[in-house]
Amino acid sequence: MKCYAKYYFDGVGTLTLGEDDGKLTDLHFASSGTHPGGDLMMSETPLLAEACRQLGEYFTGERKSFELPLAPKGTPFQLRCWEALLRIPYGATTTYGDIARAVGSPKGFRAVGLANNRNPIAIIIPCHRVIGSDGKLVGFGGGLDVKSFLLMHEAQHLNQ
């Protein structure tokens, strides 16, 4: 049974985290209006508490990577894209085209954008680190202001 819990973090607002069978399945922004849907079983589990702790460390600049069991649900292409996102270093950015080439679909930058849009575990699977080929911030479920905040936050804490 899936369990969900809500947590508040300065700069990004309320996040809803979800887990199923001991693996993190969801991290959604309240501001985006998206959520897992259906009836939410609100219950903090040890995994959700650990995810919240690690997110807290991330937001204070103490953590640069997450150590959580993940189970995002998606198509094989989406899963390949999300795996590629996990390889983007903290504080770095890449483009949709770069991700498309990394997953073996060099002309699939639009499909990569759609996969990013469907990323069910934002921040932890760092889709915020993907920018347009012109260097502009484009598309993010939490809003461009949150994407900008996350990138500036990482840049500020990169060498600490």
Side-chain angles (χ1 to χ4, degrees), residues 4-9 11-18 26-37 40 42 55 59 119-120 122-123 140-143 145-146:
Y4 296 92
K6 291 185 179 189
Y7 305 96
Y8 179 83
F9 297 97
V12 298
T14 301
L15 301 175
T16 300
L17 281 72
D26 299 276
L27 189 157
H28 299 281
F29 298 91
S31 62
S32 71
T34 62
H35 60 81
L40 298 181
M42 298 303 282
L55 282 163
F59 285 116
N119 175 9
I123 301 174
F140 187 65
D145 56 332
V146 172

Side-chain angles (χ1 to χ4, degrees), residues 58 93 123 125-131 140 147 150-151 154:
Y58 168 83
T93 58
I123 301 174
I125 298 177
C127 55
H128 62 279
R129 297 179 187 153
V130 182
I131 59 174
F140 187 65
K147 184 173 189 165
L150 293 170
L151 292 173
E154 290 184 7

Side-chain angles (χ1 to χ4, degrees), residues 15-151:
L15 301 175
T16 300
L17 281 72
E19 73 127 300
D20 191 16
D21 197 26
K23 294 184 180 174
L24 196 64
T25 58
D26 299 276
L27 189 157
H28 299 281
F29 298 91
S31 62
S32 71
T34 62
H35 60 81
D39 293 329
L40 298 181
M41 166 84 173
M42 298 303 282
S43 174
E44 184 175 74
T45 65
L47 175 61
L48 294 177
E50 176 61 15
C52 179
R53 186 186 71 75
Q54 289 189 29
L55 282 163
E57 291 174 352
Y58 168 83
F59 285 116
T60 60
E62 299 170 53
R63 177 173 290 276
K64 308 279 189 282
S65 63
F66 295 93
E67 298 169 12
L68 298 164
L70 306 178
K73 302 273 190 277
T75 67
F77 179 78
Q78 289 170 332
L79 293 171
R80 285 196 318 270
C81 289
W82 301 334
E83 282 293 322
L85 296 177
L86 288 167
R87 293 189 294 271
I88 305 170
Y90 180 94
T93 58
T94 192
T95 67
Y96 294 96
D98 291 336
I99 297 293
R101 286 185 287 281
V103 300
S105 184
K107 296 183 183 192
F109 60 90
R110 285 188 182 94
V112 167
L114 291 172
N116 273 14
N117 181 264
R118 301 259 194 273
N119 175 9
I121 311 174
I123 301 174
I124 294 170
I125 298 177
C127 55
H128 62 279
R129 297 179 187 153
V130 182
I131 59 174
S133 61
D134 59 2
K136 292 184 179 176
L137 301 186
V138 293
F140 187 65
L144 291 181
D145 56 332
V146 172
K147 184 173 189 165
S148 177
F149 169 83
L150 293 170
L151 292 173

